[in-house]
Amino acid sequence: MDQPKPPKKKNTGLQNAAKLSGVGIQMGLTIYLGNLLGSWLDGKFETTYLEISITLAAIFLSMYSMIRQVNNLNK
């Protein structure tokens, strides 16, 4: 008769750390690209507020993305 196999132990801490390891890079890249886009648009349309506005939007977008990823891991 076949013996039932014992369930594998899940190392969820290490898996979660691996999944979240790129979050910092993703946040930094999103904010940098938002700043770059805002700077370019300020030069193109000769304004002074687009760089700040788009950079702030990129910060909020990256925070939302990070919170969403963490919430998906907790499910």
Side-chain angles (χ1 to χ4, degrees):
M1 229 168 189
D2 291 332
Q3 301 232 349
K5 293 181 182 178
K8 290 184 179 180
K9 291 182 180 179
K10 290 186 178 181
N11 190 356
T12 58
L14 187 58
Q15 288 175 350
N16 290 344
K19 289 178 183 176
L20 291 175
S21 64
V23 170
I25 295 171
Q26 180 183 356
M27 285 182 67
L29 190 62
T30 302
I31 294 168
Y32 173 73
L33 290 176
N35 189 338
L36 199 62
L37 176 66
S39 177
W40 179 75
L41 288 174
D42 267 349
K44 183 167 178 73
F45 296 117
E46 299 176 1
T47 60
T48 58
Y49 59 88
L50 288 175
E51 181 178 6
I52 295 170
S53 301
I54 293 176
T55 302
L56 281 174
I59 291 170
F60 290 126
L61 179 69
S62 65
M63 291 290 289
Y64 173 76
S65 175
M66 180 191 65
I67 291 169
R68 192 167 155 216
Q69 288 177 5
V70 169
N71 282 339
N72 284 339
L73 284 178
N74 288 333
K75 288 184 180 179

